[in-house]
């Protein structure tokens, strides 16, 4: 057989035999027959060849093969071409093959669909169906051949509407292409890094005092500017858009140019700077923190001074907006983006590592600095490499991020954990091809990396729902830095931490190449610490350092077991639902949206709900219960043109506009007061505060993109009767009857909810309690298993409650 794509069909794990050309009719599963009849075909796409532009046919002397090649692709596309090596053969140029008009009319073309949906495989299938299964092949009408081309498209392709805009060159806006938005951010980062390195270079002044100075006034030059933000590795669901008040242009917003947002919705772009080595760094921890803060202050003053002096540096015009300095970071606007700069001081890490008897505070500080500066930079480099090598991987991460937020698991499953799990399914395979030289019998099919966003998303759901998190660690090693010996050590330490009951340690145990003790002492490009390894025997070299400890860093605290069990159940349900949608074969319907929504009935499974004031909700289209999944078409000012907008673009437009109360009028020739907030996430700040203050009593859930509701689940252990103690008497009340031993006090949910309501009174409008955790000794008038309480706060701050 002549392979369609790739070199051989055997490397895909299957072969076509003569007896297989007339297979028996498969058993058709009983799915809904609503809608027109359809055929669902599964394709295994080779990611290494699916994006190849030109495919050569057989050599010219192979007449039979050339005829078969022309018969397959058609005379119009399989043309004779001459290549640089002198060969003249039949070849097909795929970028000249446009989408079928009928399928294009019935489906939507998204930006980056060739990148995220298996190259141009969809157009190739459309061409084959049109050429061989319609009137185009026979030249005359036949009863057994369709007179028109049916719609041929990938299933669940509209899931891309959550992560990309519609590709329409006539009406596209800068907000419709997520890849270009990411690239614009990276270009701005490269320019900022070059500016900092160039203007921090020190020169020796000749005069009375010989000292080193720089244009920015920094005593040390900047050696490295390292990216840490997800948007600098193609992982941000909504990439930052240039802000007019931070050095951007109003045309970048693609919305009302007369009004602009007074805040930056979302987190600033996190980067870290590393200064050149010097012996003048302080030798105490407190002084080290003050020195880092002084460096940030001097950097801010240096930028402002260069602007006032009219320096000729071309990159200086990109700075605009406020420059805010805190003891830990510097926020600055550059080319329309809000950058958050932190200082990495390796001298501080060496100082903490050299402490003879460190305190608990010193250990916590050391771990925090290692995770932020060292492991954060290594994680970014690792994930950026995976996303560069696998074009659809970053889109899968962004789609998973939307799925996690839709089920109110924001910040409970870290985005770094999602990125590592996606990297696992793209870079590591388990199955191998077993062939026999005699008959070429294939034993197992090759497990290749996903080529489409849909396949990658389903594989993520499968990994999350089927991996045995209690008994097996998840080791993610895309670049083979972890040796066999280290893997054995990881499994041994995992079993020791889990214990016989399999409940010890982090619930989600994910290990990456940076998760070993002593990673801050890494030298060069070596990633796996001090253990030397004999690569021929896969055994540690005698005399090598032993006792290396591997432990999760990304998932050390989150998710908790209750969150992980909930996520596993949701992943299984979502995967089953999406699989049934694929098998039903209904192109264009939106039944898949149910996998990204919480039903109204499911909200009653929580213990309590806090309703957020609508003024804090910027984008209701990402709501967990009523998400906007429609692709709308509107008529533009130009006659005959229609603008098609995806949910992704609509959400991004609302985020650019910002909250109504904080919008500002923008005039072209009038400078506004530059008091733009670099970060505006009030609900996220509230949830973090609630988790910190009441984590012993409840678990808090919310959707970071549309935080209209904050859900609460009580911790069962927090409401067990306890002995009375004045130290832990907060939110306690005496037990009325049925005292057991010294258990005289129980937690009072009324006090906890009253405290939470008062603490969040500026953001929460009302609340409902579905499980008030009344103890067994409560009186009949006090018991109410499914009682709902609602709390309203008036302008004077008084609280009223009523039963529903």
């Amino acid at each position: 057989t002549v392979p369609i794509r790739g070199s051989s069909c055997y490397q895909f794990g299957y072969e076509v035999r003569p007896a297989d050309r007339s297979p028996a009719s498969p058993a058709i599963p009983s799915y809904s027959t609503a809608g027109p009849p359809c055929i669902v075909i599964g394709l295994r796409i080779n990611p290494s060849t699916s994006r190849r532009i030109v495919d050569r046919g057989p050599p010219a002397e192979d007449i039979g093969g050339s005829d078969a090649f022309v018969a397959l692709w058609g005379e119009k596309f399989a043309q004779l071409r001459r290549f640089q090596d002198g060969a003249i053969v039949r070849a097909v140029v795929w970028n000249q093959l446009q989408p079928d008009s009928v399928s294009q009319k019935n489906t939507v073309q998204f930006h980056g669909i060739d990148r995220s949906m298996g190259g141009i495989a969809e157009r190739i299938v459309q061409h084959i169906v049109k050429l061989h299964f319609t009137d185009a092949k026979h030249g005359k009408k036949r009863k057994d051949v369709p007179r028109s081309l049916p719609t041929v498209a990938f299933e669940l392709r509209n899931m891309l509407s959550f992560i990309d805009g519609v590709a329409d060159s006539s009406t596209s806006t800068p907000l419709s292409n997520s890849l270009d938005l990411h690239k614009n951010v990276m270009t701005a980062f490269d320019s900022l890094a070059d500016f900092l390195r160039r203007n921090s270079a020190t020169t020796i002044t000749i005069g009375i005092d010989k000292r080193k100075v720089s244009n920015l006034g920094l005593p040390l030059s900047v050696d490295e500017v390292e990216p840490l933000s997800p948007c600098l590795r193609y992982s941000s669901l909504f990439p930052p858009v240039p802000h007019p008040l931070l050095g951007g242009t109003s045309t970048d917003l693609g919305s009302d140019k007369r009004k602009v947002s007074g805040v930056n919705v979302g987190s600033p772009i996190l980067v870290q700077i590393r200064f050149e080595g010097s012996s003048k760094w302080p030798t105490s921890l407190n002084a080290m923190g003050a020195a880092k803060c002084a460096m940030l202050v001097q950097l801010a003053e240096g930028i402002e001074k260069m602007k006032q002096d009219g320096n000729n540096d071309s990159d200086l015009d990109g700075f605009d907006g406020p420059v805010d300095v805190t003891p830990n970071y510097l926020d600055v606007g550059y080319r329309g983006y809000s950058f958050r700069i932190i200082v990495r001081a390796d001298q501080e890490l060496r100082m903490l590592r050299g402490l003879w008897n460190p305190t608990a505070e010193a250990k916590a500080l050391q771990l925090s600095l290692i995770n932020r500066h060292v492991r954060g930079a290594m994680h970014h480099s690792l994930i950026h490499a995976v996303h560069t090598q696998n074009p659809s991987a970053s889109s899968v991460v962004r789609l998973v991020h939307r799925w996690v937020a839709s089920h109110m698991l924001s910040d409970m499953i870290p985005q770094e954990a999602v990125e590592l799990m996606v990297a696992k399914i793209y870079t590591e395979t388990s199955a191998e091809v077993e062939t026999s030289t005699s008959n070429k019998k294939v034993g197992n099919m090759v497990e290749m990396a996903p080529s489409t966003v849909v396949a990658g998303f389903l594989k993520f759901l499968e990994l999350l729902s089927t991996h045995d998190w209690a008994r097996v660690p998840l080791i993610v090693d895309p670049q083979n830095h972890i040796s066999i010996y280290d893997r054995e050590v990881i499994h041994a330490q995992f079993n020791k931490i889990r214990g016989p009951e399999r409940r010890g340690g982090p619930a989600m145990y994910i290990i990456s190449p940076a998760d070993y003790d002593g990673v801050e002492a890494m030298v060069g490009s070596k990633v796996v610490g001090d253990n030397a390894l004999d690569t021929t025997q896969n055994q540690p070299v005698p005399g090598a350092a032993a006792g290396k400890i591997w432990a999760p860093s990304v998932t050390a605290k989150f998710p908790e077991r209750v969150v992980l069990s909930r996520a596993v159940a949701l992943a299984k349900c979502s995967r089953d639902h999406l699989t049934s949608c694929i098998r039903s074969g209904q192109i264009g319907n939106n039944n898949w949206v149910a996998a990204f929504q919480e039903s109204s009935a499911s909200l009653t499974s929580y213990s309590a709900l806090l309703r957020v004031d609508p003024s804090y909700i910027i984008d209701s289209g990402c709501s967990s219960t009523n998400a906007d999944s429609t692709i709308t078409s509107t008529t533009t000012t130009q006659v005959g043109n229609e603008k098609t907008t995806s949910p992704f673009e609509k959400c991004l437009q609302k985020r650019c506009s910002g909250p109504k109360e904080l919008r500002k009028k923008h005039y072209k020739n009038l400078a506004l007061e530059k008091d733009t907030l670099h970060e505006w996430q009030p609900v996220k700040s509230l949830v973090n505060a609630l988790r910190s203050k009441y984590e012993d009593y409840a678990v808090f859930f919310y959707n970071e993109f549309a935080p209209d509701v904050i859900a609460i689940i009580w911790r069962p252990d927090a409401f067990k009767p306890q002995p009375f103690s004045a130290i832990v008497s907060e939110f306690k009340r005496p037990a009325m009857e049925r005292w057991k031993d010294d258990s005289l006090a129980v937690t009072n949910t009324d006090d906890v909810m009253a405290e939470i309501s008062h603490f969040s009174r500026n953001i929460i409008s009302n609340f409902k309690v579905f499980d008030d955790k009344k103890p067994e000794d409560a009186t009949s008038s006090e018991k109410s298993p499914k009682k709902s309480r609602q709390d309203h706060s008036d302008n004077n701050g008084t609280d009223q409650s009523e039963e529903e």
Side-chain angles (χ1 to χ4, degrees), residues 190-220:
D190 293 337
S191 178
L192 176 63
D194 181 68
F195 172 85
L196 294 177
R197 284 192 294 263
R198 186 174 62 252
N199 290 281
S200 65
T202 57
T203 58
I204 300 178
T205 59
I206 305 298
I208 300 177
D209 296 330
K210 292 184 178 181
R211 60 190 182 90
K212 292 183 177 182
V213 296
S214 64
N215 293 338
L216 291 171
L218 295 171
L220 299 175

Side-chain angles (χ1 to χ4, degrees), residues 34 72 123 214 228 348 358 411 455 466 515 552 581 647 708 776 785:
L72 177 62
R123 276 182 276 175
S214 64
L228 299 177
E348 186 178 18
D411 300 335
T466 60
D515 290 336
C581 290
D708 50 353
E776 294 181 357

Side-chain angles (χ1 to χ4, degrees), residues 131-424:
L131 184 63
H132 295 281
F133 300 99
T134 62
D135 288 346
K137 175 181 178 181
H138 303 279
K140 60 180 181 179
K141 296 182 179 180
R142 287 178 46 183
K143 295 182 178 181
D144 59 336
V145 179
R147 296 186 179 182
S148 61
L149 179 66
T151 301
V152 180
F154 277 127
E155 285 282 4
L156 305 182
R157 65 194 315 277
N158 283 355
M159 288 172 62
L160 293 179
S161 64
F162 276 178
I163 59 175
D164 234 323
V166 178
D168 187 351
S169 58
S170 60
T171 58
S172 293
T173 66
L175 304 181
S176 60
N177 194 332
S178 63
L179 180 62
D180 288 348
L181 292 175
H182 278 103
K183 288 183 176 179
N184 293 340
V185 178
M186 296 180 184
T187 301
F189 165 75
D190 293 337
S191 178
L192 176 63
D194 181 68
F195 172 85
L196 294 177
R197 284 192 294 263
R198 186 174 62 252
N199 290 281
S200 65
T202 57
T203 58
I204 300 178
T205 59
I206 305 298
I208 300 177
D209 296 330
K210 292 184 178 181
R211 60 190 182 90
K212 292 183 177 182
V213 296
S214 64
N215 293 338
L216 291 171
L218 295 171
L220 299 175
S221 61
V222 176
D223 274 354
E224 295 290 340
V225 182
E226 299 174 325
L228 299 177
S229 178
C231 66
L232 297 176
R233 53 179 182 262
Y234 304 100
S235 295
S236 179
L237 176 59
F238 297 110
V241 177
H243 197 290
L245 303 183
L246 296 177
T249 59
S250 59
T251 56
D252 294 329
L253 295 177
S255 58
D256 188 2
K257 302 178 180 60
R258 294 172 298 177
K259 288 187 178 182
V260 296
S261 175
V263 299
N264 175 44
V265 178
S267 301
I269 304 169
L270 183 63
V271 300
Q272 68 178 7
I273 57 177
R274 301 172 65 179
F275 292 99
E276 64 178 337
S278 175
S279 60
K280 296 183 179 180
W281 284 95
T283 56
S284 67
L285 293 177
N286 292 333
M288 179 64 72
K292 292 165 61 177
C293 180
M295 286 290 193
L296 295 175
V297 172
Q298 181 57 49
L299 177 59
E301 293 178 350
I303 293 174
E304 293 178 348
K305 187 175 184 300
M306 288 182 65
K307 293 179 63 177
Q308 293 174 1
D309 295 343
N311 194 287
N312 294 327
D313 196 311
S314 59
D315 292 332
L316 194 62
D317 296 335
F319 290 96
D320 200 358
V323 181
D324 301 331
V325 183
T326 70
N328 298 320
Y329 57 83
L330 161 68
D331 286 342
V332 61
Y334 182 72
R335 292 195 175 184
Y337 302 103
S338 178
F339 284 91
R340 174 162 293 175
I341 302 175
I342 59 177
V343 176
R344 170 179 173 177
D346 293 336
Q347 295 81 357
E348 186 178 18
L349 295 174
R350 288 194 291 266
M351 187 188 309
L352 289 168
R353 190 172 64 252
L355 294 178
W356 178 254
N357 188 18
T359 61
E361 292 79 4
K363 292 180 180 179
L365 176 62
Q366 181 184 16
L367 181 60
S368 174
L369 294 177
I370 292 174
N371 288 340
R372 174 187 295 181
H373 297 299
V374 182
R375 293 191 173 111
M378 294 176 65
H379 173 84
H380 180 93
S381 176
L382 181 77
I383 299 303
H384 187 272
V386 173
H387 291 175
T388 303
Q389 297 170 2
N390 302 274
S392 62
S394 61
S395 299
V396 174
V397 170
R398 297 172 59 223
L399 190 61
V400 172
H401 195 185
R402 175 66 185 265
W403 179 83
V404 170
S406 299
H407 293 289
M408 305 180 67
L409 300 175
S410 295
D411 300 335
M412 301 299 288
I413 299 180
Q415 183 170 356
E416 293 80 3
V418 170
E419 292 172 332
L420 289 175
M421 294 177 66
V422 173
K424 176 76 174 180

Side-chain angles (χ1 to χ4, degrees), residues 644-709:
T644 306
T645 308
S646 69
F648 167 79
E649 190 173 352
K650 288 185 283 187
C651 292
L652 206 53
Q653 288 175 352
K654 294 178 182 178
R655 294 173 65 86
C656 290
S657 301
K660 293 183 180 180
E661 292 77 4
L662 298 178
R663 294 176 187 172
K664 299 180 179 180
K665 292 183 178 181
H666 184 250
Y667 302 96
K668 184 176 181 181
N669 299 323
L670 180 62
L672 295 177
E673 183 181 357
K674 303 301 177 63
D675 56 350
T676 308
L677 295 178
H678 285 281
E679 181 178 13
W680 191 82
Q681 299 183 99
V683 180
K684 182 176 183 178
S685 301
L686 172 63
V687 173
N688 291 335
L690 291 175
R691 288 172 177 169
S692 176
K693 189 176 179 65
Y694 306 102
E695 62 178 351
D696 294 335
Y697 301 96
V699 183
F700 295 87
F701 302 82
Y702 84 114
N703 180 348
E704 62 178 307
F705 301 116
D708 50 353
V709 171

Side-chain angles (χ1 to χ4, degrees), residues 61 64 74 97 116 129 148 248 294 325 391 509 529 585 712 721 800:
E61 57 272 14
L97 185 63
S116 56
V129 172
S148 61
V325 183
Y509 205 97
I712 300 176
Q800 300 175 352

Side-chain angles (χ1 to χ4, degrees), residues 406-407 594 596-606 624-626:
S406 299
H407 293 289
F596 293 84
Q597 288 185 347
E598 289 274 312
S599 63
S600 300
S602 66
L603 294 180
T604 59
S605 63
Y606 294 98
S624 297
T625 55
N626 190 24

